[in-house]
Amino acid sequence: MSSHGSDEEEKPCRACSDFKSWAKSQKPPKPGAPKKDSPPKPTRKDCPLDKEDLGQATWGFLHSMASYYPEKPTKAQAKSMTQFFNIFSQFYPCEPCAIDFREDLKENPPQTESRNALAQWLCERHNTVNEKLGKPEFDCSKVHERWKDGWLDGSCDS
Ligand code: FAD
């Protein structure tokens, strides 16, 4: 195994932690690293994703994909979408999140027979995570407003 590979194994998992916990777990800077009085990085936008960033970006992708899924998928499309979620759950970079998601998928396999079935199923999966984290439940009747059509009050129209 390359030294690069073993270095990676020693690093704490940033995608499994919030940014503050991850930053606290970091070692002091190595000699030669930029000093504290170097200009700070302007933003974190070019840095690796922490658990929250990764979760927000991933849910955005997954819900958008569900809201644009065919209303009447072919059997092959439905099968592919089921496979997608099973594969996704093996490789989601936050390992503790992925373990729980795989358990949830066992009890609640993807509903891929239509766009609405998939979007509602995914909304429920997200609500399961919300509940675990003490976040508010999302109203799944509004999932297409949130992720495809924009809110009925027109606030996304301009
Ligand atoms: P998010 O939960 O990221 O939601 C983003 C936006 O989605 C919200 O602003 C809202 O507009 C919309 N939304 C909210 N709920 C729903 C819903 N039910 N349906 C449709 N839209 C909705 N974090 C952990 O700490 N532990 C975990 O075990 C964990 N497991 C995860 C598993 C998966 C598969 C994913 C993708 C993420 C997981 N996360 C986990 C991350 C976590 O779900 C959040 O993404 C993260 O905490 C940031 O939350 P947030 O409040 O910014 O909004």
Side-chain angles (χ1 to χ4, degrees), residues 6-60:
S6 57
D7 274 359
E8 275 184 349
E9 281 161 21
E10 288 168 18
K11 286 185 183 168
C13 169
R14 182 154 167 168
C16 308
S17 355
D18 63 86
F19 179 74
K20 277 188 187 164
S21 319
W22 178 84
K24 271 191 204 159
S25 73
Q26 294 306 286
K27 292 178 190 148
K30 290 180 187 158
K35 298 215 172 84
K36 269 198 169 170
D37 54 1
S38 307
K41 279 197 284 178
T43 69
R44 285 174 46 215
K45 78 179 169 59
D46 295 323
C47 299
L49 302 183
D50 69 9
K51 188 171 60 172
E52 271 65 39
D53 299 330
L54 179 69
Q56 287 160 11
T58 304
W59 287 123

Side-chain angles (χ1 to χ4, degrees), residues 51 55-56 59 63 97 123 126-127 130 132 135 146-147:
K51 188 171 60 172
Q56 287 160 11
W59 287 123
H63 289 298
C97 308
C123 184
H126 193 165
N127 273 338
N130 288 343
K132 181 173 71 170
K135 293 178 193 271
R146 171 67 179 91
W147 294 107

